[in-house]
Amino acid sequence: MKKWFLLLLPILGWAQADFQGMAVYESKTSISEFKKRFENNKEITPEMRTMMEERMKKTFEKTFILHFDKSTSTYKEDEKLDTPGQNGGGGFRFMTSMMGVGGTYYKNIKSKTYTVDREFMSKEFLIQDSLPKLQWKLEQETKEIGGYTCLKATAVRAASQSDFRNFRMRNRDKDKTTEEKKDAKNAATDGKTAADKKPEGEKKTNFMDEVEMPKKITITAWYSPEIPISQGPESYWGLPGLILEVSDGKTVVLCSKLVLNAKDKAVIKAPTNGKVVSQKEYDDIVVKKMEEWREMNPGGPGRGGSHMRF
């Protein structure tokens, strides 16, 4: 990812009433787990694998812009013009809609609330809720990002059930061992050995059966006290300085450009369109639709999804 910065008029001071800044972030989610699983799947041809990897790379690599002042901010994808058909089939469109970063994410750290508009399966939602309060552990470790000295902070939070980036590939070896133990126990109760039990035939595995959602994830953030604004990308906030980099182990969000007190000010306001729901209500809707999609598409990620309706 590019690591270059533009800094304008830093000497104006942070107490300025109309202070405002703009930061560009590059978000990249590792797909190494998925690539490895593709390589081990004999049903996927090299051509199909290349196509799937290209689509996933596009899905998991994004550029976002954060506009912020002393108490509010908006975080939104820097959208580029897509060419027709490049998002692939229904499965990939469904995956993209589950990325959890669509729309405009508005934070108000003074009222400790956020508002974000999301489109999920052609329906508009307006999520309004309290900002997550992470229990940051401030570390002594430092590093430089774009000329700024940054300090390390870590926290543990619950994984968002509606954000596909939090999925991990399922450990099939562990699952197999657990299943074998279960079969042996069941066989013992009916007087048969595990070897006596005949397999019922292989079932096609749905892509969603290959992944699992962790309960908690560890967050590592790098913030700069030289920019004493308690803001950051997405839902991250609450540190004594602007967060210039944040990672959850799979997704890294890194600031690549920073502008402070530019002449032209951005309008920082909350989105207003969509059905108003809480974060939990939205997560429940997504989880329910994921289960429906899994049942309707037993063959894998490349089929269906778009025909589902609310």
Side-chain angles (χ1 to χ4, degrees):
M1 284 186 272
K2 296 181 180 178
K3 298 182 180 179
W4 57 277
F5 283 70
L6 175 63
L7 178 62
L8 296 179
L9 306 179
I11 61 175
L12 292 182
W14 307 105
Q16 189 171 317
D18 62 344
F19 166 80
Q20 193 178 109
M22 184 275 288
V24 177
Y25 291 87
E26 309 294 337
S27 175
K28 184 175 182 179
T29 300
S30 172
I31 61 172
S32 58
E33 289 180 283
F34 298 100
K35 288 175 65 175
K36 184 177 180 180
R37 192 57 57 92
F38 292 156
E39 291 168 358
N40 295 334
N41 192 330
K42 296 180 180 180
E43 295 181 0
I44 301 178
T45 66
E47 292 78 13
M48 290 173 60
R49 183 163 58 244
T50 299
M51 179 185 68
M52 293 171 74
E53 288 178 5
E54 288 178 352
R55 289 176 179 172
M56 291 188 73
K57 182 179 179 181
K58 175 176 174 55
T59 299
F60 288 111
E61 292 186 10
K62 303 284 186 180
T63 299
F64 296 87
I65 298 178
L66 176 75
H67 288 286
F68 60 92
D69 56 30
K70 290 183 291 186
S71 60
T72 63
S73 68
T74 57
Y75 184 76
K76 187 176 182 180
E77 181 182 349
D78 182 18
E79 297 177 350
K80 298 177 178 61
L81 184 64
D82 292 337
T83 55
Q86 70 178 6
N87 287 327
F92 278 95
R93 285 194 297 271
F94 183 67
M95 183 192 301
T96 301
S97 71
M98 290 164 53
M99 284 297 291
V101 291
T104 298
Y105 199 113
Y106 170 85
K107 294 198 296 286
N108 187 320
I109 61 176
K110 197 171 184 178
S111 64
K112 296 181 174 56
T113 59
Y114 71 94
T115 302
V116 56
D117 57 334
R118 293 270 163 79
E119 179 181 342
F120 179 63
M121 297 178 60
S122 301
K123 188 175 180 63
E124 297 286 339
F125 292 93
L126 189 67
I127 305 170
Q128 296 179 339
D129 218 317
S130 300
L131 278 170
K133 179 64 175 178
L134 296 181
Q135 299 300 316
W136 291 108
K137 179 182 178 182
L138 304 185
E139 312 280 359
Q140 296 300 314
E141 188 176 347
T142 66
K143 75 174 179 178
E144 186 176 292
I145 299 177
Y148 289 96
T149 298
C150 295
L151 293 170
K152 182 181 180 180
T154 58
V156 177
R157 68 170 174 83
S160 171
Q161 300 299 303
S162 61
D163 189 343
F164 192 88
R165 295 171 302 170
N166 290 327
F167 278 106
R168 272 53 171 170
M169 295 305 297
R170 190 180 296 279
N171 188 335
R172 283 300 179 189
D173 291 335
K174 180 180 178 181
D175 290 348
K176 184 178 180 181
T177 301
T178 302
E179 191 64 28
E180 288 174 346
K181 290 181 178 179
K182 183 178 178 181
D183 287 343
K185 183 178 180 180
N186 291 338
T189 60
D190 60 17
K192 297 180 181 179
T193 65
D196 293 331
K197 298 183 75 66
K198 296 182 180 180
E200 298 179 0
E202 284 191 32
K203 296 181 180 180
K204 287 190 175 181
T205 302
N206 188 294
F207 176 72
M208 295 303 295
D209 293 328
E210 295 292 314
V211 297
E212 61 183 353
M213 179 71 76
K215 292 183 178 180
K216 294 183 180 297
I217 55 178
T218 299
I219 307 299
T220 301
W222 295 91
Y223 66 97
S224 176
E226 298 172 29
I227 312 172
I229 300 297
S230 186
Q231 290 281 1
E234 298 186 30
S235 61
Y236 298 110
W237 71 292
L239 287 169
L242 180 66
I243 298 173
L244 297 183
E245 181 180 335
V246 64
S247 167
D248 67 0
K250 284 192 63 178
T251 299
V252 178
V253 183
L254 175 65
C255 184
S256 62
K257 180 179 179 181
L258 180 63
V259 179
L260 302 176
N261 277 326
K263 182 178 180 180
D264 296 327
K265 305 294 184 182
V267 177
I268 301 178
K269 64 179 182 179
T272 57
N273 295 329
K275 178 184 178 181
V276 176
V277 293
S278 67
Q279 186 66 60
K280 184 181 185 307
E281 288 172 334
Y282 178 76
D283 289 349
D284 290 344
I285 290 170
V286 172
V287 170
K288 179 181 178 181
K289 291 301 174 182
M290 284 168 57
E291 291 298 327
E292 291 180 7
W293 184 83
R294 190 202 315 246
E295 294 174 0
M296 297 169 68
N297 300 276
R303 302 179 178 89
S306 60
H307 58 280
M308 291 172 56
R309 293 292 182 269
F310 281 90

